[in-house]
Amino acid sequence: LAAANFLAPIFEPKASGITTSGNVRTVNIQAAMDGFDLTEIRVQAGETVKVNLRSLDNEHHTDGGGKHQFAIDELGVNIVAQPLSVNSGTFVATKAGTYTFYCDICCGGKANC
């Protein structure tokens, strides 16, 4: 789904984006059945990254039940948002490089990245 140079607790729909405050980079990203609304996220090595993941799908979706995931295997990131809700997680971008983030619940997983 997306490759990254590295990767407000609640944000309004369509309010995605990346902001920085101090040494924390906040990423507001939305997920729906067609994938993420951001395709690339760039941060600096050593930077703290807070991801606010919003699921735009409801519980009636037969594939995944409306849940979405933001995962980066190499960094141990695994954030899951319940249907029509937001979940947040924080990690430190410890090593420079290019990493793939994906949703393996219903968006096609790593195979579609």
Side-chain angles (χ1 to χ4, degrees), residues 1-111:
L1 291 176
N5 250 2
F6 209 80
L7 268 107
I10 304 286
F11 51 96
E12 296 299 318
K14 304 298 179 203
S16 297
I18 302 169
T19 60
T20 303
S21 176
N23 68 338
V24 176
R25 179 80 46 115
T26 300
V27 177
N28 295 319
I29 189 166
Q30 299 179 140
M33 293 301 291
D34 60 349
F36 295 110
D37 65 335
L38 297 177
T39 58
E40 185 176 271
I41 299 167
R42 291 178 180 254
V43 303
Q44 298 294 316
E47 199 168 35
T48 299
V49 181
K50 179 180 181 184
V51 175
N52 297 317
L53 173 65
R54 177 182 288 279
S55 172
L56 298 178
D57 294 322
N58 64 41
E59 69 277 1
H60 300 294
H61 282 269
T62 57
D63 188 9
K67 294 180 188 176
H68 287 281
Q69 173 189 37
F70 180 92
I72 304 172
D73 293 340
E74 298 87 352
L75 302 175
V77 177
N78 184 24
I79 302 165
V80 176
Q82 297 299 314
L84 298 175
S85 68
V86 176
N87 192 18
S88 300
T90 303
F91 64 95
V92 175
T94 57
K95 187 175 172 185
T98 300
Y99 301 91
T100 300
F101 61 91
Y102 66 94
C103 172
D104 205 24
I105 293 176
C106 66
C107 299
K110 288 174 76 171

